[in-house]
Amino acid sequence: MKDDIIYLVLLGSCIGFGQFYRKFTDPEQRKLVGTGVGLLVVLSVSGFHMLHMLFCYLVSALLIIYASRKVCHLACFGFMFGYLFFFRSLSFLGYDAPPGHTNMIQMILTLKLVGLAFEVNNAYTKSKTVADGQKDTAAVAQPSLTEADRALLKLSMLDIFHYSFNYVGVLTGPYITFKTYRDAMYLPFSGKADCIGATVDKLKVIPLYAGLFLLVSYIWPLQYATSAEFYEERSFLYRLMYVWPTFFIFRMRIYTGILLSECVCTMAGVGAYPKLAGSKPGHGPSRDDYTTTATEDSSPLEYDFETVRNIDVINTERCWTFREAMKYWNMCVQYWMAMYVYKRFPSKKYRTLVTLAVSAIWHGVYAGYYFCICGAPFYLPIEDLYVKLFLNDATGQKRTVLNVLCWISKFFAFSYLGIAFLLLTVDKIWYYYSSVYHFGYVLWIVLYGAGVLIAKQRKANARREAKAGQDGAKQD
């Protein structure tokens, strides 16, 4: 709880500071103040461990600026994820382990610096395409470099330093691109958007999630799942169902933390864009002409903070399937994983597995992260199979019943896999799963086998019916 209290105090301070931060209209002043506060936050939770972040910044910045832009993103990816692994292995090497909040700072810094290297690579590739198009007089239409692209191609060490350590998102995110950061510095949207209103809307629901977290964790603490009484005196059914409250506690904790981190952004005006820009979580505006349209339009514009929206709590809870729920969870990080791992990985066959493996590595070195995150690809085909077999064609009351069953299955899968994420170590995970006879995995294997047989039977019936129809037509 001590770490949680420190976390809440820091986030609360950063939220409050946003009201003062927005008053700086000069971009250079805003950069300096934001970076100064960010360094203070990092120093306050990390102490001398802050040297890790400074070293990572220095090496990555040198790679981004001086390495070939054809490969700088790959070099930065390898260095940052390699250092992240080393950073988390310090305790195994006999050194003091960095504080938990320092680990979160390192995680976000990894996404920022690697993401920036990919942005530079994209801008470089785009510039080459533009240059080739100018030589080709027969070309009908060619892409043009935006102001953000040109800024990426002439980055300085100081630009990267400000982006890396600005207080907005430095502690727990959400991940924002360099373009989003630059827009927050140079575009006037933070002074026009309803930053206070957007922040208050998020703060309204946080006491509910925090209260539920405290209440349920008091009644069903995670620590009880590692006690002798839990395994010796509790029934199989009790142990199996215990994953539901533990994952509920985890969700409420994550909802509270992520929404507070979003409030840091909204109060500072970071991620504010006109609604007509069509902003998406992590990505930012999906239209390139939003600045021109916003300038030329004399009528008042509506603004949103979709760019920094990291979680959709309502849709996470009420959607029917596991696959759909994944889309609403940690959306800015998912954007990063999709853009820089999934879409860039050369083998389509292994893209999903590799992306989830990178996500597990990013979360930490504990086996529980791999049990949980890498277990998802084995559950998703089962869900997809049954959705195709029964849910897609169902209507009316039957559809409602199947949706509810699918919802229960979704949260059981999340909870069953999530207990590994919380127990962390192999011995605790294996001991728990053995105590429930690996019920979840056995159930999913049986369901998948039954689903495959049903699908084959349906295909065979369809072929027989088609053949019977052909024979009948011949007889006629």
Side-chain angles (χ1 to χ4, degrees):
M1 295 300 292
K2 179 184 175 182
D3 283 345
D4 288 336
I5 292 170
I6 294 172
Y7 173 78
L8 290 172
V9 170
L10 286 171
L11 284 182
S13 301
C14 289
I15 293 169
F17 180 74
Q19 180 68 6
F20 174 74
Y21 183 63
R22 289 202 319 276
K23 295 179 180 179
F24 290 94
T25 56
D26 180 71
E28 297 307 316
Q29 284 185 337
R30 183 176 287 192
K31 288 179 185 177
L32 287 171
V33 172
T35 302
V37 174
L39 290 171
L40 186 62
V41 170
V42 174
L43 181 62
S44 65
V45 300
S46 304
F48 74 91
H49 290 289
M50 181 180 178
L51 293 173
H52 292 291
M53 279 70 82
L54 293 174
F55 176 70
C56 285
Y57 148 74
L58 180 62
V59 175
S60 295
L62 291 172
L63 288 172
I64 291 168
I65 294 175
Y66 296 108
S68 169
R69 285 171 176 167
K70 294 180 181 179
V71 297
C72 67
H73 56 303
L74 299 177
C76 193
F77 185 100
F79 167 71
M80 286 302 297
F81 273 88
Y83 196 88
L84 186 63
F85 185 84
F86 163 75
F87 173 83
R88 287 164 170 164
S89 303
L90 287 173
S91 60
F92 300 111
L93 299 174
Y95 298 99
D96 292 336
H101 295 302
T102 304
N103 178 56
M104 290 191 290
I105 295 170
Q106 186 70 25
M107 289 169 70
I108 294 300
L109 186 65
T110 299
L111 297 187
K112 277 187 172 182
L113 290 171
V114 175
L116 177 58
F118 273 94
E119 287 184 79
V120 170
N121 173 259
N122 289 337
Y124 169 76
T125 304
K126 190 175 179 181
S127 70
K128 297 294 288 182
T129 304
V130 170
D132 293 341
Q134 289 174 348
K135 295 177 183 177
D136 184 7
T137 55
V140 178
Q142 293 293 334
S144 58
L145 288 178
T146 64
E147 186 64 30
D149 292 327
R150 285 188 282 270
L152 285 165
L153 293 174
K154 56 181 182 181
L155 280 174
S156 68
M157 297 287 286
L158 189 58
D159 291 330
I160 300 175
F161 187 77
H162 285 313
Y163 170 62
S164 300
F165 294 105
N166 186 278
Y167 85 96
V168 177
V170 73
L171 184 59
T172 55
Y175 165 74
I176 58 172
T177 63
F178 180 79
K179 180 184 180 301
T180 298
Y181 164 78
R182 188 175 181 277
D183 287 347
M185 296 299 112
Y186 289 100
L187 297 182
F189 300 145
S190 63
K192 298 179 180 180
D194 183 10
C195 299
I196 296 176
T199 304
V200 170
D201 285 343
K202 294 180 185 296
L203 289 174
K204 285 178 181 176
V205 296
I206 288 176
L208 172 63
Y209 302 141
L212 288 171
F213 163 73
L214 292 172
L215 176 64
V216 181
S217 60
Y218 176 77
I219 300 173
W220 292 287
L222 175 65
Q223 292 81 358
Y224 186 60
T226 62
S227 66
E229 180 184 338
F230 180 80
Y231 292 102
E232 294 172 4
E233 300 182 17
R234 295 296 184 177
S235 66
F236 159 79
L237 185 60
Y238 182 91
R239 293 195 299 270
L240 179 64
M241 298 306 292
Y242 205 79
V243 299
W244 285 82
T246 55
F247 188 67
F248 181 84
I249 294 165
F250 177 74
R251 295 204 309 279
M252 295 306 111
R253 187 171 185 266
I254 294 298
Y255 293 163
T256 302
I258 289 181
L259 288 175
L260 282 171
S261 64
E262 287 182 27
C263 287
V264 176
C265 297
T266 56
M267 200 63 172
V270 174
Y273 289 100
K275 283 190 175 182
L276 56 83
S279 298
K280 298 177 182 178
H283 176 77
S286 58
R287 290 179 54 181
D288 291 332
D289 62 341
Y290 64 93
T291 52
T292 304
T293 308
T295 304
E296 294 176 349
D297 196 339
S298 58
S299 60
L301 294 175
E302 290 186 79
Y303 292 84
D304 62 35
F305 288 90
E306 284 295 303
T307 299
V308 293
R309 188 163 71 113
N310 205 17
I311 198 163
D312 187 336
V313 176
I314 301 301
N315 280 321
T316 299
E317 292 292 322
R318 73 181 181 185
C319 70
W320 300 119
T321 65
F322 189 102
R323 183 177 291 280
E324 190 179 1
M326 288 176 63
K327 297 177 182 178
Y328 301 118
W329 184 276
N330 216 357
M331 292 185 286
C332 294
V333 174
Q334 284 204 55
Y335 164 79
W336 190 97
M337 293 290 172
M339 289 296 295
Y340 305 135
V341 182
Y342 183 84
K343 291 183 179 180
R344 290 280 191 142
F345 195 73
S347 172
K348 292 183 178 180
K349 183 178 180 181
Y350 298 106
R351 277 179 176 175
T352 300
L353 186 60
V354 168
T355 303
L356 290 169
V358 171
S359 178
I361 293 169
W362 179 72
H363 277 88
V365 296
Y366 286 107
Y369 301 138
Y370 298 88
F371 270 91
C372 176
I373 297 173
C374 294
F378 299 99
Y379 174 77
L380 288 171
I382 303 168
E383 181 182 77
D384 293 341
L385 178 61
Y386 277 84
V387 166
K388 183 179 179 181
L389 286 174
F390 299 105
L391 195 61
N392 285 343
D393 298 327
T395 57
Q397 188 175 5
K398 180 182 177 181
R399 176 72 180 231
T400 302
V401 171
L402 290 175
N403 277 335
V404 171
L405 291 174
C406 203
W407 184 90
I408 294 171
S409 179
K410 172 194 79 172
F411 269 123
F412 174 73
F414 270 125
S415 303
Y416 190 80
L417 293 172
I419 193 71
F421 194 97
L422 297 171
L423 292 175
L424 296 177
T425 59
V426 173
D427 55 337
K428 291 180 181 178
I429 296 166
W430 188 258
Y431 196 54
Y432 172 76
Y433 281 150
S434 298
S435 76
V436 294
Y437 309 106
H438 303 278
F439 178 84
Y441 295 118
V442 173
L443 174 65
W444 295 335
I445 291 171
V446 171
L447 286 175
Y448 185 71
V452 169
L453 290 176
I454 293 171
K456 287 182 177 179
Q457 187 64 40
R458 286 189 180 182
K459 287 181 181 179
N461 291 339
R463 285 196 294 268
R464 282 196 294 269
E465 289 176 3
K467 185 178 180 181
Q470 291 175 355
D471 294 341
K474 289 178 182 179
Q475 291 176 1
D476 293 339

